[in-house]
Amino acid sequence: MNPADVKHFFAQHWTVRKYKNVPMPEDHLDAILYAAQRAPTDATAQMYTLIRLTDPEVRQKMADLTNNAHIGTASESFVVCADIHRLNQLLKTRGYMPGNWPAVAVHFAVGDAVMAAQNMLIAAEMLGYMGCWIGGVMNNLPAITELLDLPEGVFPFAALTMGVPDEEPKHRPRLERALVVHENTYQKPDVALLEKGLNDMAPITARGDWGLTLSRYFAEGGSMEAREVLLRQVLEAQGFSHVSSADHLFREAVQAGYPELVVRQKKSGGLEAWIDQGHLAHRGDGNTLTEALKNALMEASKEPTE
C-alpha cells in the first residue's frame, strides 16, 4: 500500500448502527480476534477481556441497558472490559501477592482494552464489515456488571458491534489537524481556531451547533455528570478506585472488626475519627472525614484486633 491507499482506507470509515442479517464466517471472526490479540499491551500483561455476546437473551438485555438496539442485530457484538482480575490470579498462581495500584490499573487496563478492540474494528473493516463503539455501557454500569458476572478487577469499558451495513454511509468531519496534532509542546488554541473547529464540526448536528451538542454531554448539568456517579461507584466496587471514599473506608473498618465510628470536630481545626470495638479504639486526625478515617485505620493496622 502507498500513502494514498492508507488515506483512502481510513476515509471509508464510518459508524454503523443498522446491520444486515448476515452471520460472520468463522474464519473472519478468527482473523478479527487474532488482530485483537496482536495489539500492543503494557508490560506484556494483556489487561483486557472481550466478552462475545452469543445468547440472544443476553444480547437483548445489553441492547436495552445501553439503549443501543444494534447490539441485538449485528453479526457480532462484544463487551470490551478492562481486566486486572486475570493478572492477579496469574500472580497468585506463582505465589506472588498482587500489589496495590488501582490508578495504574485504570490507566493501563483501559489502554490495553482500547488497543485490542480498535485492532478488531480495523481488521473487520479490512474484511468489508463496519462497526460501532458503544459508550452507552456507562448508562447502566452496575446492571451490566451483574449481567456479565464480572468479578472484582474487571469493569465494562465499552461495547463493540460489527457487521454488514444496512444504511447509507455517513462520513463525519474531524477537527482541523492543528487542533489535535501539536509539535514538541502543547499549543493552547486561540479563540479563532476554536470557533473554526466548532463551525467545521457543525454539519454533524441536526441544529448546526456542535457546541450545543457537546454541552448536552459535557457541560454543567450534562449527561456525563450522571455517568460520573455510576462510574465512580463501579470502579470502587470492582477494585479500581484510587480515591477511597468515607463509605468505603468505614466498610474496611467494619471488616477489620471496628463496627463503630465516632467523629469529632477538633478545637484546633480539622476532625478526629475514632473506630471502636467497644473495648479497643483507634483515633485518626485529618482535615476531612476521609483523611481522618484513613489515619484511624492505619493506627488500627499497627495493632492486631482481639
Side-chain angles (χ1 to χ4, degrees):
M1 295 180 72
N2 59 43
D5 294 330
V6 173
K7 292 178 72 173
H8 176 75
F9 173 79
F10 283 99
Q12 303 313 302
H13 168 79
W14 51 290
T15 295
V16 172
R17 294 180 175 85
K18 186 177 180 182
Y19 299 96
K20 294 180 180 179
N21 185 17
V22 178
M24 183 178 291
E26 284 298 321
D27 59 339
H28 286 199
L29 177 61
D30 176 68
I32 290 168
L33 294 176
Y34 179 85
Q37 292 197 267
R38 299 310 303 171
T41 176
D42 182 69
T44 73
Q46 301 159 75
M47 291 174 277
Y48 68 91
T49 288
L50 306 168
I51 298 181
R52 183 186 177 202
L53 304 178
T54 57
D55 185 321
E57 184 177 348
V58 175
R59 273 194 174 213
Q60 188 56 53
K61 287 180 179 178
M62 277 296 301
D64 293 341
L65 288 169
T66 63
N67 196 30
N68 279 266
H70 52 100
I71 288 179
T73 59
S75 298
E76 292 290 338
S77 297
F78 292 85
V79 179
V80 181
C81 299
D83 182 357
I84 62 166
H85 175 79
R86 180 178 59 248
L87 172 57
N88 287 338
Q89 297 310 305
L90 289 167
L91 289 169
K92 291 177 181 178
T93 298
R94 284 290 184 263
Y96 300 105
M97 180 61 66
N100 182 31
W101 36 273
V104 171
V106 172
H107 180 88
F108 285 118
V110 167
D112 279 8
V114 169
M115 288 187 285
Q118 186 63 16
N119 262 24
M120 290 175 67
L121 184 56
I122 292 172
E125 292 184 4
M126 292 173 71
L127 291 168
Y129 303 99
M130 288 292 166
C132 179
W133 275 94
I134 300 169
V137 296
M138 295 187 70
N139 295 336
N140 282 291
L141 279 171
I144 290 170
T145 300
E146 181 178 356
L147 173 66
L148 302 179
D149 195 22
L150 301 183
E152 183 175 352
V154 183
F155 78 90
F157 173 75
L160 181 64
T161 57
M162 295 173 287
V164 178
D166 193 21
E167 58 181 272
E168 294 300 314
K170 302 181 186 70
H171 297 293
R172 294 184 170 186
R174 291 293 187 261
L175 289 169
E176 185 175 317
R177 187 175 295 177
L179 273 170
V180 297
V181 180
H182 303 175
E183 190 168 333
N184 297 320
T185 60
Y186 191 95
Q187 306 297 308
K188 295 181 181 178
D190 59 32
V191 174
L193 196 56
L194 292 172
E195 283 291 348
K196 185 177 186 306
L198 289 165
N199 292 331
D200 289 345
M201 293 298 297
I204 74 169
T205 69
R207 299 184 181 183
D209 187 344
W210 192 48
L212 176 62
T213 297
L214 292 177
S215 73
R216 290 173 174 170
Y217 290 102
F218 302 106
E220 186 175 0
S223 62
M224 291 302 171
E225 290 185 339
R227 288 179 167 186
E228 176 77 12
V229 174
L230 287 178
L231 180 57
R232 284 178 180 268
Q233 290 174 354
V234 171
L235 284 174
E236 183 173 323
Q238 297 303 105
F240 285 87
S241 178
H242 56 284
V243 180
S244 297
S245 68
D247 287 346
H248 177 74
L249 290 169
F250 183 57
R251 286 197 296 272
E252 283 190 21
V254 172
Q255 291 170 359
Y258 296 90
E260 298 180 21
L261 169 65
V262 176
V263 181
R264 297 191 183 98
Q265 179 74 48
K266 297 169 61 178
K267 291 182 179 179
S268 58
L271 300 172
E272 62 180 31
W274 290 85
I275 52 176
D276 196 347
Q277 287 182 329
H279 64 287
L280 182 64
H282 293 280
R283 189 187 85 179
D285 297 333
N287 292 321
T288 66
L289 174 57
T290 299
E291 183 181 4
L293 187 49
K294 184 181 294 185
N295 288 333
L297 274 169
M298 288 180 62
E299 288 299 314
S301 68
K302 298 175 184 178
E303 181 177 344
T305 58
E306 297 179 5

